[in-house]
Amino acid sequence: MANAIQLNKKIFFVVTGASRGIGQALAIENGSKMLPGSVVVLLARNGQDLESTKEQILLRNPELQVDTYSVDLSNPSVDDITTKLQTSLGKSDQNFELAYIIHNVGSIGDITKKAKDLNNIELWRQYYDLNVFSIATLNSVFMSMFSATKKFVVNITSKCGVAPFESFALYCSGKAAREMFFKVLAVEEKNVLVLNYSPGPVDTDMTIDAQANSCSPDVQNMFKGLRDAKTILTPVQTTKRFLEIVEKGDYNSGDHVDFYD
């Protein structure tokens, strides 16, 4: 298909939320396929966990440049993000076949309250700073740095971006806003390939939190049932499915593609 991406190239690759869970698996599995001289930029708050991700990438592909930056994307700064990416770019020979970014960073928000009880405006602002505004900011910096290079932009979305779930008013609305942002990007930038990937129910800290703390018994039981039945996905499982989708390219730019599609 026309949108198929082959990763055995020299790539400048950025992953947010790369310190654990899905983001870590995406960084490791994608990085293992790239050619020597590729650059992998890992962004997350926990610098120690980022170093663990880096070590695992280099064990599998030691000829990569892997840079880690501890950043708090809940308070995004255009200048700070630009400096970090330019630092990584400046250490390379800059001759890339593909510029590739995965926007994975995200939080679940307050799931102990129903939508009608979410009346703290500062809570809303903080949630959208991390889950929507920082994404748009980073993406703008990334796009401007690689104006002449083929670009592949991935947003890690969720079924919650297209369907409502009790207690997930923050999460669902944030995912919906974020996904629409990338759909607009796909319409505006015909030369940029955009994918909204929904990884399915994955065994991460986020779903553990939902099972334990959601104010909805249905949500708690849903995740408990998946774990009891051992049908909840692992980060590596959903990453391998993601790579199949990327390498096949059977979707239109901006589409929402789910693990189960």
Side-chain angles (χ1 to χ4, degrees):
M1 295 292 291
N3 289 333
I5 295 287
Q6 301 303 317
L7 295 173
N8 57 337
K9 296 179 178 180
K10 190 174 176 186
I11 298 172
F12 191 96
F13 178 45
V14 181
V15 189
T16 65
S19 61
R20 58 186 181 176
I22 297 171
Q24 184 179 64
L26 286 166
I28 295 166
E29 296 298 330
N30 277 274
S32 70
K33 294 178 175 289
M34 296 175 184
L35 290 185
S38 293
V39 175
V40 179
V41 178
L42 307 176
L43 304 176
R45 282 181 296 183
N46 191 314
Q48 184 175 348
D49 288 349
L50 282 178
E51 288 301 315
S52 174
T53 305
K54 175 180 177 177
E55 289 174 8
Q56 292 179 69
I57 293 170
L58 291 174
L59 278 173
R60 295 174 63 173
N61 197 347
E63 296 184 79
L64 301 180
Q65 174 188 320
V66 183
D67 297 328
T68 64
Y69 298 106
S70 178
V71 295
D72 182 3
L73 289 174
S74 65
N75 185 24
S77 162
V78 171
D79 289 343
D80 183 48
I81 291 169
T82 301
T83 298
K84 286 176 169 54
L85 294 188
Q86 286 182 340
T87 297
S88 290
L89 188 61
K91 293 191 293 183
S92 70
D93 66 15
Q94 304 185 28
N95 184 26
F96 298 105
E97 298 175 81
L98 179 69
Y100 173 20
I101 186 167
I102 298 180
H103 296 284
N104 169 70
V105 70
S107 63
I108 196 170
D110 188 349
I111 55 173
T112 67
K113 298 182 179 68
K114 293 183 177 181
K116 68 180 178 62
D117 298 318
L118 290 170
N119 57 9
N120 184 332
I121 194 165
E122 188 58 32
L123 178 77
W124 280 99
R125 286 177 177 147
Q126 290 172 358
Y127 188 81
Y128 271 72
D129 276 348
L130 173 62
N131 292 279
V132 181
F133 304 149
S134 76
I135 307 304
T137 299
L138 172 58
N139 198 74
S140 178
V141 172
F142 177 82
M143 294 281 290
S144 66
M145 285 180 59
F146 297 100
S147 57
T149 306
K150 181 179 179 180
K151 289 176 284 296
F152 181 34
V153 176
V154 175
N155 171 42
I156 300 302
T157 187
S158 169
K159 186 177 180 179
C160 292
V162 295
F165 286 80
E166 289 183 1
S167 78
F168 280 24
L170 283 162
Y171 188 73
C172 286
S173 64
K175 285 297 187 185
R178 185 159 146 174
E179 184 162 327
M180 185 53 71
F181 171 83
F182 284 104
K183 287 180 179 292
V184 171
L185 180 73
V187 169
E188 292 177 342
E189 308 296 332
K190 304 297 186 186
N191 61 335
V192 177
L193 180 60
V194 180
L195 171 62
N196 288 292
Y197 177 64
S198 176
V202 183
D203 190 8
T204 62
D205 290 345
M206 187 178 290
T207 57
I208 291 170
D209 184 12
Q211 182 177 333
N213 298 311
S214 172
C215 65
S216 167
D218 289 344
V219 168
Q220 291 187 14
N221 291 333
M222 176 181 69
F223 286 113
K224 183 179 185 301
L226 289 168
R227 285 191 167 87
D228 289 349
K230 302 188 184 306
T231 53
I232 196 164
L233 303 170
T234 68
V236 171
Q237 278 180 302
T238 196
T239 296
K240 289 188 180 298
R241 173 63 179 141
F242 168 80
L243 290 171
E244 291 174 358
I245 292 164
V246 166
E247 291 168 354
K248 187 175 181 182
D250 190 17
Y251 62 91
N252 296 316
S253 185
D255 278 357
H256 173 114
V257 181
D258 190 272
F259 174 92
Y260 295 107
D261 288 345

